[in-house]
Amino acid sequence: MTTESIHPETLVLHGGSFRKDNTTNAVAVPIYQTTSYEFDSTEHASNLFALKELGNIYTRIMNPTNAVLEERIAQLDGGVAALAVSSGSTANAYAIQNLAKAGDNIISSTDLYGGTWNLFNNTFKNIGIEVRFVDPSDPENFRKATDSKTRAYFGESLPNPKLNLFPIEEVSDIGRSFGIPLIIDNTAAPINCRPLDHGAAITTYSLTKWIGGHGTSIGGAIVDGANFDWTAIPERQPLLNEPDGSYHGVQWAQAIPEMFGAQIAFAIRARVVLLRDLGGAISPTNSFNFIQGLETLPLRLRQHNQNAIKVAEFLSNESSISKVIFPKFSKGEDKKRAEKYYKNGYGSMIGIEFDKGIEAGKAFINALELHYHVANIGDARSLAIHPASTTHSQLTLEEQLKTGVTPGYVRLCVGLEHTDDIINDLKKGLDAVDKFDRLKVAEA
Ligand code: PLP
């Protein structure tokens, strides 16, 4: 199916080459729960291994159920190829390892999911990849931190807890002038934001969140926009331009456009080198769950977006809350970015701050009954967490403040319940904060 002018609601149901199962005529995508695929002949087998012919070899590298998911995710994002992997963390790790090796560096926004921060700050450091963290509010910080060993720029489109919007176009323009691609983790903004349209070369996803949508499966994806010329400054991207000894000396950036008619060297190398060697494959059953999640993603997201606006507006009128953090309420540059990049909505995460500190945040969370107290985002159910006592508790107070977590900060992820019920539950939390306040006054 051609994808020009097809809307997301249609793409998620019909995107890609799958129409029906050719053997049984089944309409739902079958779960191909198989490890291996029989070769027709030795010639067929050796052609597949040499990439002279495309086809299935082994599920660690490709699988027909995973392929349907990959095609639909790529189309939804305006990309050309995608790779489904075992988790969002795998997606981010591979996106970097596909370009950077020991001795290289990448430049990342400071505003990151904690797990990605750890990956960059500790695990990558231990394997010799340096990550230079910069404040993305000034895009020029990326230029300033760049040197001859810089292979990629990285940021999250809508990072929590700060929910400040990444300057996609500005940073990608700087990167392109050096031959450096921008990789955007778009986990929190599928459909709402399309980073590839604004100059990002690669997007990554934790499918675990809004795309799965029901909190049942862990998975990730990397999307290749095929919009980046890896050969423009070949010495900038050695892994894609120098002969790859692990693949008969192939030079990916030169060979792939000739073979596939599109510059998808990034996606192909990630599949046939990183999945082959590191093995972070997604299970076909999880892919099936994500295909189902995708089918209702546009519908669910519209409701998430609307519910979040209602809840944020309610919260902004509450006197016990000192600050409501939500992209719709942003000001200055952030407001301009919200209008430019978020045409469909602002997502469903809201940050609130109680200036009464850590105990107020805890009291609020403990009084909620409908909201689940979990370290997750993007579920159909409403979720809440108090980062200072959970996800960010290993950080020093200073580090917490740097990442945007104040002691009284609470993150809400607005679900699909009726907003009256969500708001009634939040009122229970606010009452508990009021009571806690009165208790403190009485003690004083
Ligand atoms: N990226 C972001 C923005 C996330 O929020 C998360 C998880 O919370 C991840 C990546 C990692 O995803 P996963 O849990 O699927 O490994």
Side-chain angles (χ1 to χ4, degrees):
M1 194 170 109
T2 53
T3 57
E4 285 134 48
S5 78
I6 306 282
H7 299 88
E9 291 82 352
T10 313
L11 268 183
V12 292
L13 292 161
H14 299 276
S17 49
F18 180 86
R19 171 74 189 174
K20 59 173 182 165
D21 178 55
N22 286 335
T23 314
T24 62
N25 282 3
V27 170
V29 179
I31 303 174
Y32 288 96
Q33 194 69 39
T34 181
T35 56
S36 320
Y37 308 85
E38 192 180 26
F39 306 123
D40 298 334
S41 63
T42 51
E43 191 194 359
H44 177 222
S46 72
N47 281 347
L48 291 177
F49 275 89
L51 292 182
K52 283 189 195 149
E53 212 177 302
L54 287 182
N56 296 313
I57 300 175
Y58 190 60
T59 283
R60 178 166 10 96
I61 305 169
M62 73 283 277
N63 171 281
T65 311
N66 300 351
V68 175
L69 173 67
E70 288 164 346
E71 280 189 76
R72 290 188 183 165
I73 296 261
Q75 289 186 353
L76 195 61
D77 233 7
V80 174
L83 181 67
V85 290
S86 56
S87 70
S89 306
T90 308
N92 284 333
Y94 285 9
I96 301 304
Q97 287 176 294
N98 210 23
L99 300 174
K101 59 182 187 319
D104 294 339
N105 69 69
I106 67 149
I107 299 168
S108 170
S109 160
T110 43
D111 302 338
L112 295 175
Y113 159 61
T116 309
W117 175 276
N118 272 328
L119 167 71
F120 286 2
N121 199 38
N122 299 305
T123 301
F124 275 171
K125 192 188 279 171
N126 292 340
I127 59 171
I129 298 172
E130 182 198 353
V131 180
R132 301 177 174 181
F133 294 99
V134 298
D135 177 356
S137 59
D138 180 1
E140 285 300 315
N141 289 336
F142 280 81
R143 189 194 305 278
K144 287 180 201 151
T146 300
D147 69 12
S148 64
K149 293 281 191 182
T150 305
R151 306 290 176 231
Y153 292 165
F154 185 95
E156 288 181 15
S157 48
L158 182 56
N160 81 77
K162 289 187 193 164
L163 302 180
N164 47 351
L165 310 174
F166 189 87
I168 301 172
E169 197 172 285
E170 296 92 318
V171 175
S172 96
D173 282 351
I174 295 171
R176 280 171 189 270
S177 70
F178 289 114
I180 297 172
L182 172 63
I183 300 167
I184 289 286
D185 179 337
N186 199 39
T187 296
I191 300 183
N192 284 342
C193 174
R194 297 222 316 176
L196 301 177
D197 292 351
H198 302 288
I202 306 295
T203 50
T204 60
Y205 285 95
S206 168
L207 302 174
T208 316
K209 317 297 179 200
W210 285 266
I211 290 176
H214 299 83
T216 61
S217 309
I218 302 274
I222 301 172
V223 181
D224 186 337
N227 63 7
F228 195 83
D229 184 2
W230 303 101
T231 62
I233 307 174
E235 61 278 16
R236 177 61 79 182
Q237 300 298 343
L239 288 181
L240 291 178
N241 282 286
E242 288 175 3
D244 186 338
S246 85
Y247 233 104
H248 314 299
V250 69
Q251 290 170 281
W252 298 106
Q254 286 79 21
I256 294 300
E258 281 168 29
M259 289 164 71
F260 292 89
Q263 183 46 292
I264 52 169
F266 187 93
I268 298 291
R269 185 182 185 277
R271 181 184 299 285
V272 301
V273 175
L274 296 178
L275 268 185
R276 179 195 64 182
D277 297 350
L278 300 175
I282 190 169
S283 126
T285 303
N286 278 357
S287 281
F288 175 84
N289 292 336
F290 292 125
I291 290 166
Q292 279 204 326
L294 264 187
E295 290 186 353
T296 56
L297 177 69
L299 205 63
R300 285 186 287 109
L301 218 59
R302 206 175 302 143
Q303 197 63 44
H304 275 298
N305 288 338
Q306 283 172 15
N307 284 6
I309 290 175
K310 266 200 186 164
V311 170
E313 281 168 355
F314 160 76
L315 294 168
S316 64
N317 291 318
E318 286 300 308
S319 56
S320 57
I321 298 174
S322 50
K323 192 169 173 196
V324 177
I325 304 161
F326 186 60
K328 187 171 194 283
F329 303 153
S330 54
K331 298 197 173 74
E333 277 304 311
D334 263 351
K335 187 176 173 59
K336 282 192 211 150
R337 284 177 195 139
E339 284 162 4
K340 180 166 162 186
Y341 299 130
Y342 293 76
K343 298 264 187 270
N344 300 311
Y346 307 103
S348 52
M349 282 191 291
I350 303 174
I352 51 178
E353 280 182 7
F354 296 104
D355 54 15
K356 306 291 177 313
I358 193 157
E359 294 305 326
K362 283 190 197 170
F364 178 82
I365 292 276
N366 285 333
L368 300 178
E369 290 172 8
L370 182 116
H371 285 73
Y372 280 87
H373 181 203
V374 293
N376 191 23
I377 49 175
D379 197 305
R381 300 153 192 86
S382 286
L383 315 174
I385 196 157
H386 177 237
S389 62
T390 55
T391 50
H392 289 59
S393 56
Q394 279 102 358
L395 274 61
T396 63
L397 183 63
E398 202 181 36
E399 286 171 334
Q400 286 183 5
L401 292 176
K402 253 195 208 161
T403 64
V405 170
T406 56
Y409 178 96
V410 169
R411 182 186 74 208
L412 299 174
C413 201
V414 181
L416 299 175
E417 302 93 342
H418 196 288
T419 42
D420 290 352
D421 300 325
I422 298 173
I423 288 171
N424 279 337
D425 197 48
L426 294 173
K427 282 179 181 165
K428 290 178 193 155
L430 294 171
D431 283 350
V433 172
D434 281 349
K435 270 193 206 128
F436 161 80
D437 252 7
R438 284 200 298 276
L439 221 76
K440 271 188 83 174
V441 170
E443 275 170 12

